[in-house]
Amino acid sequence: MSAARSVLSLSKILQPWTGLKGSTVSVMRPVMCTRREKSSYTVSVLLKGRDVLLVLGDLICLTDWGLHRFCCVPVDFEVVNVDSSLTSEDEINNAVTAIRRNGVALKGNIETNHNLPPSHKSRNNLLRTSLDLYANVMHCQTLPGVQTRHKDIDIIIIRENTEGEYSSLEHENVPGVVESLKIITRVNSLRIAEYAFRQAREKGRRRVTAVHKANIMKLGDGLFLQCCKEVAAGYPDITFDNMIVDNTTMQLVSKPQQFDVMVMPNLYGNVVSNVCAGLVGGPGLVPGANYGKDYAVFETATRNTGKSIANKNIANPTATLLASCLMLDHLGLHDYASMIRKAILRTLSETRLHTADLGGQGTTSEVVQSIMKEVQKGGPLTSEKI
Amino acid sequence: MAGNAWRSTVSRIMGAVKSQTQPRTFSRGMQTVTIIPGDGIGPEISTSVIKIFEAAKVPIQWEERNVTAIKGPGGKWMIPPEAKESMDKSKIGLKGPLKTPIAAGHPSMNLLLRKTFDLYANVRPCVSIEGYKTPYTDVDLVTIRENTEGEYSGIEHVIVDGVVQSIKLITEEASRRIAEYAFEYARNNQRNSVTAVHKANIMRMSDGLFLRKCREVAENFKDVKFTEMYLDTVCLNMVQDPTQFDVLVMPNLYGDILSDLCAGLIGGLGVTPSGNIGANGVAIFESVHGTAPDIAGMDLANPTALLLSAVMMLRHMGLHGHAKKIETACFDTIRDKKVLTKDLGGNSKCSEFTAEICRRVQDLD
């Protein structure tokens, strides 16, 4: 019964831009569709082309998939279900295996119930550490058509993604006294610093700023800073400076234009990327990418589940759609990436279609439809039907 | 004649009684406050504050003390005993910026003070200053930060070469204490809600403990609304719409970052007041900016931060009337834009700015 319900709801979502209810259902039929309360779907769709793993945490990813099919992007999506309410780690382990197989994934955020005991680890964190996705990259840019307090922001934030405060190593030696370990290693600090400088050079950036709290955490953040300095010595064309994290946040809200590329450990990365996302217009606009040596996972930059606005057709799909463009770039499909990206930005400058988070009244489906129209205008790469 | 003799006898007796009782209540008599001018621009801004308080006729007598690190018996670093004695007696302190020495062999002075008086709560009210334009208007929130443990426990080890472990300590006692202070502050200052800021999704045990204690304390303060929010969500929402926040309570590191973020929203550390509450009723109010050695002694400093901290101190002492007067005079001066120090966008000297505020204070009488 629930299977039938989910098939129907799927076709309802896809209908606006497929117009072919029958054919969408027929594609679903050979596969079991289950839709659970607040998580995702298990659907396999077969298309020709390269394989990409789709891990669904929310509805937005599905609309994204629909858009890619519309644009005839030569990508197969393998969808993996991760139910956030289950306590066993089997599902996330399956997801990790699948990503290892495919190499690239697109992901929604999986909710962590922080009232469960510590044995229940954050699924998102498990994914990142198992695949060693050591660099989280977020490019924060002022976007056209979006009203913000600050203009001309163009910051690349590179955040160490596997260690630091997110080591999940905690213990209670004495009742009422909890110790949480923050681990900083030379190897990972050098690695992320190297990544940051390489990116800066590739993208023609002038300055890299390391964000830290080494005046207080002299050994931990001191080591991180030391590693950054060492790597900086090998890139004399790029200016390197550093700033303490509390001063950084203060500067970000008063003069964000002064920052170029920023590199930092895990927790400060969390804070700084959320501040920057807020500065350019909110969580619905900024895509994020997690890169490892062998794998890459793309998602929204601020990793929100958006529980309060789920299933109401008011969520802003821009962040996930832009994340999928990053994915296409990563796969080398630059033409498709720029085509979709241009369409997204053109739709964004149309204030009438802004979703609620941008102060408008547009719906998710309206935005996606407008993007598809823009893509159609752009050239012959689209299809009318599936 | 007999009447005169009777009156002089009475007054002599009353005089003796008065000098013996040493009034310590706030409402009558002079309250002693320990003032620590600090380094760099510290002495000049402290002088400004003293002048303004004089003009406002605040019933305070100042006891000036200096704070440097000295090695006590047993080799432990401590603050000079005269300073400690003065603070223990007066219970209230006002502090200017202190130099943080690099490689001096002793911990920072701020840390020493914190340890000496067990200053467990750092309170920073952030209110938008009319007349000092920032991209954010109508900010009116308070950050309350646990100041003794958390990530700043200073416990770090090199496990093996190239692997460092920093320990973040969260205890039941400290979490309960800061939560209680936060709710009491909210109640005493007519604030509507308290939000606990945490990252319990990642740091399940430590922030989980902090959160649990906040929830427990919230049960005893049903008149104040209690909410919980992830640190990243707070940061995200803070820069988009800071008006949704009221009182925020959090562990040490998040407090450090968030309180500076909020200071940035209203205009920076040069205009942000700050107070530290300790056990045993001790409270030290301070300016949180640096010593600005490049402009020290040149009469260019901006005393606003120290002045607003002093106003916070007056409110803590119950001298609300004087507090309001001085605060109004200060804000009016800034709003008027005629006499402003350089960092506020003007060209006046510190003494001119101070004189202007004194004038307004006297006019308000």
Side-chain angles (χ1 to χ4, degrees):
Chain A
M1 194 198 74
S2 62
R5 195 160 42 99
S6 53
V7 167
L8 266 142
S9 57
L10 275 173
S11 55
K12 242 196 305 190
I13 295 148
L14 293 176
Q15 197 185 2
W17 55 83
T18 58
L20 293 167
K21 195 150 121 187
S23 84
T24 51
V25 172
S26 66
V27 170
M28 306 303 157
R29 205 183 294 133
V31 180
M32 189 188 71
C33 292
T34 49
R35 187 190 168 166
R36 269 164 267 192
E37 257 294 57
K38 43 178 151 170
S39 55
S40 40
Y41 322 76
T42 308
V43 174
S44 273
V45 177
L46 294 170
L47 289 172
K48 286 188 273 295
R50 291 163 66 169
D51 278 326
V52 165
L53 183 72
L54 195 73
V55 176
L56 293 175
D58 55 50
L59 180 61
I60 294 294
C61 280
L62 201 63
T63 70
D64 182 280
W65 164 63
L67 177 64
H68 280 250
R69 290 173 64 199
F70 175 74
C71 301
C72 289
V73 174
V75 164
D76 282 346
F77 285 99
E78 182 191 340
V79 181
V80 173
N81 177 26
V82 180
D83 188 342
S84 51
S85 57
L86 292 183
T87 44
S88 105
E89 290 184 4
D90 288 341
E91 290 205 326
I92 193 69
N93 288 334
N94 290 341
V96 169
T97 313
I99 300 179
R100 287 214 172 120
R101 188 172 54 234
N102 292 322
V104 182
L106 190 57
K107 175 181 164 296
N109 203 48
I110 304 163
E111 192 191 357
T112 307
N113 183 351
H114 60 263
N115 294 314
L116 290 175
S119 49
H120 178 92
K121 298 203 185 340
S122 154
R123 301 295 182 247
N124 306 301
N125 203 23
L126 271 174
L127 199 90
R128 290 193 289 268
T129 46
S130 316
L131 297 169
D132 198 22
L133 301 169
Y134 65 90
N136 177 264
V137 182
M138 175 175 148
H139 188 181
C140 253
Q141 277 174 302
T142 305
L143 294 173
V146 181
Q147 273 286 75
T148 52
R149 290 184 178 84
H150 307 272
K151 312 275 176 245
D152 301 321
I153 299 176
D154 191 355
I155 308 175
I156 297 181
I157 298 168
I158 296 174
R159 159 189 178 185
E160 208 293 324
N161 217 7
T162 55
E163 55 174 27
E165 298 81 350
Y166 287 44
S167 320
S168 302
L169 296 167
E170 298 181 296
H171 46 258
E172 190 169 357
N173 281 335
V174 175
V177 177
V178 176
E179 282 185 2
S180 173
L181 303 181
K182 162 179 165 165
I183 310 288
I184 300 275
T185 61
R186 194 173 170 70
V187 167
N188 289 344
S189 303
L190 282 173
R191 192 167 63 163
I192 194 69
E194 186 61 52
Y195 184 88
F197 277 91
R198 224 180 22 244
Q199 280 292 300
R201 184 172 269 174
E202 274 171 31
K203 299 203 155 72
R205 301 294 210 152
R206 317 264 68 220
R207 215 170 110 230
V208 172
T209 307
V211 178
H212 64 95
K213 191 89 193 152
N215 52 341
I216 301 287
M217 288 183 252
K218 298 186 166 72
L219 291 184
D221 286 354
L223 176 59
F224 180 81
L225 198 55
Q226 179 60 30
C227 294
C228 290
K229 285 194 180 127
E230 280 174 27
V231 173
Y235 291 81
D237 51 323
I238 298 175
T239 318
F240 171 69
D241 56 10
N242 66 79
M243 201 182 269
I244 300 184
V245 62
D246 37 0
N247 189 20
T248 308
T249 52
M250 213 178 341
Q251 297 291 324
L252 276 171
V253 294
S254 42
K255 232 170 22 116
Q257 298 81 5
Q258 62 182 290
F259 295 104
D260 194 354
V261 177
M262 300 167 81
V263 64
M264 59 205 91
N266 218 331
L267 184 67
Y268 312 146
N270 187 221
V271 171
V272 170
S273 52
N274 275 271
V275 170
C276 290
L279 292 175
V280 298
L285 292 177
V286 193
N290 302 285
Y291 297 104
K293 193 159 76 79
D294 304 312
Y295 315 107
V297 174
F298 301 88
E299 55 179 353
T300 63
T302 48
R303 304 171 178 169
N304 308 95
T305 49
K307 226 174 26 165
S308 57
I309 56 170
N311 302 324
K312 293 191 183 144
N313 201 17
I314 54 173
N316 191 340
T318 309
T320 311
L321 292 173
L322 285 173
S324 65
C325 292
L326 289 177
M327 176 190 77
L328 293 173
D329 274 326
H330 180 81
L331 291 169
L333 298 166
H334 300 291
D335 291 334
Y336 289 102
S338 22
M339 175 179 80
I340 299 178
R341 197 174 280 129
K342 275 204 196 85
I344 296 171
L345 293 177
R346 269 203 292 272
T347 302
L348 204 55
S349 42
E350 179 77 53
T351 339
R352 183 181 55 86
L353 286 170
H354 280 184
T355 41
D357 60 318
L358 299 175
Q361 282 166 335
T363 62
T364 315
S365 28
E366 275 173 18
V367 174
V368 179
Q369 270 184 308
S370 163
I371 295 173
M372 285 162 67
K373 279 211 195 73
E374 291 288 343
V375 166
Q376 257 184 327
K377 277 193 236 163
L381 288 169
T382 64
S383 74
E384 287 295 326
K385 38 187 182 173
I386 305 197
Chain B
M1 271 175 330
N4 275 344
W6 170 243
R7 265 198 295 275
S8 58
T9 318
V10 168
S11 59
R12 240 184 307 131
I13 295 168
M14 288 308 296
V17 170
K18 243 197 193 159
S19 61
Q20 267 171 10
T21 49
Q22 277 196 52
R24 204 168 290 296
T25 56
F26 301 145
S27 49
R28 51 188 181 88
M30 298 287 266
Q31 172 74 3
T32 313
V33 168
T34 308
I35 181 160
I36 301 165
D39 308 307
I41 54 171
E44 23 192 322
I45 54 177
S46 304
T47 317
S48 290
V49 171
I50 295 176
K51 272 207 194 97
I52 295 170
F53 270 44
E54 251 173 55
K57 301 206 209 42
V58 181
I60 277 181
Q61 66 193 27
W62 303 97
E63 217 170 75
E64 196 173 303
R65 290 285 179 271
N66 272 316
V67 172
T68 48
I70 58 172
K71 247 205 171 127
K76 240 177 78 167
W77 291 103
M78 51 183 240
I79 63 172
E82 313 88 57
K84 182 161 191 316
E85 210 186 289
S86 171
M87 269 304 304
D88 281 336
K89 220 171 38 165
S90 61
K91 299 287 190 195
I92 310 277
L94 184 66
K95 178 176 96 51
L98 289 174
K99 210 165 39 190
T100 305
I102 307 172
H106 64 77
S108 84
M109 292 315 305
N110 292 314
L111 188 62
L112 264 183
L113 277 171
R114 213 171 293 145
K115 286 228 152 76
T116 313
F117 299 107
D118 197 16
L119 301 172
Y120 66 90
N122 178 263
V123 185
R124 250 192 235 182
C126 291
V127 182
S128 282
I129 298 181
E130 203 187 324
Y132 190 41
K133 272 235 134 291
T134 61
Y136 299 89
T137 51
D138 302 325
V139 179
D140 185 4
L141 52 89
V142 181
T143 57
I144 298 181
R145 156 193 177 187
E146 206 293 322
N147 220 2
T148 60
E149 52 175 30
E151 298 80 351
Y152 293 8
S153 51
I155 310 170
E156 292 186 295
H157 314 108
V158 178
I159 312 283
V160 291
D161 189 27
V163 177
V164 176
Q165 151 190 310
S166 301
I167 296 188
K168 162 177 164 166
L169 210 62
I170 298 280
T171 61
E172 214 173 281
E173 183 53 39
S175 305
R176 191 191 47 76
R177 193 166 60 164
I178 193 70
E180 263 173 22
Y181 180 77
F183 278 94
E184 264 163 30
Y185 182 92
R187 194 179 260 173
N188 296 340
N189 290 275
Q190 290 85 44
R191 311 293 302 206
N192 299 324
S193 70
V194 170
T195 305
V197 180
H198 65 99
K199 263 211 93 58
N201 50 344
I202 299 292
M203 288 179 259
R204 198 67 54 77
M205 280 177 82
S206 40
D207 283 357
L209 174 59
F210 178 81
L211 208 52
R212 265 200 320 277
K213 287 293 139 200
C214 288
R215 284 181 192 150
E216 278 171 28
V217 173
E219 291 297 310
N220 300 333
F221 289 83
K222 293 284 195 190
D223 50 325
V224 179
K225 185 162 151 239
F226 174 66
T227 48
E228 311 167 359
M229 211 184 253
Y230 289 139
L231 172 66
D232 38 6
T233 314
V234 172
C235 289
L236 186 61
N237 292 338
M238 184 71 77
V239 296
Q240 294 184 276
D241 180 23
T243 59
Q244 59 186 282
F245 296 105
D246 195 354
V247 177
L248 300 163
V249 64
M250 56 213 122
N252 217 332
L253 176 68
Y254 313 152
D256 194 5
I257 299 175
L258 269 181
S259 56
D260 276 4
L261 178 67
C262 297
L265 297 177
I266 62 167
L269 297 181
V271 293
T272 308
S274 173
N276 298 289
I277 311 296
N280 306 318
V282 170
I284 300 185
F285 298 85
E286 60 177 353
S287 59
V288 285
H289 52 71
T291 52
D294 47 336
I295 57 167
M298 301 203 279
D299 199 18
L300 292 171
N302 177 1
T304 307
L306 192 63
L307 185 63
L308 290 177
S309 303
V311 165
M312 217 178 135
M313 176 186 79
L314 288 175
R315 292 212 164 97
H316 178 88
M317 292 160 72
L319 295 165
H320 295 282
H322 294 279
K324 192 87 191 104
K325 213 164 45 177
I326 297 175
E327 193 185 54
T328 312
C330 181
F331 285 167
D332 282 349
T333 310
I334 296 177
R335 191 181 326 123
D336 227 18
K337 294 204 214 267
K338 292 212 198 77
V339 188
L340 291 178
T341 50
K342 196 147 168 285
D343 62 315
L344 292 172
N347 260 316
S348 308
K349 296 212 171 289
C350 175
S351 42
E352 292 167 3
F353 184 68
T354 310
E356 178 66 18
I357 300 182
C358 289
R359 191 185 63 77
R360 282 179 192 269
V361 160
Q362 276 157 349
D363 284 346
L364 280 169
D365 260 329

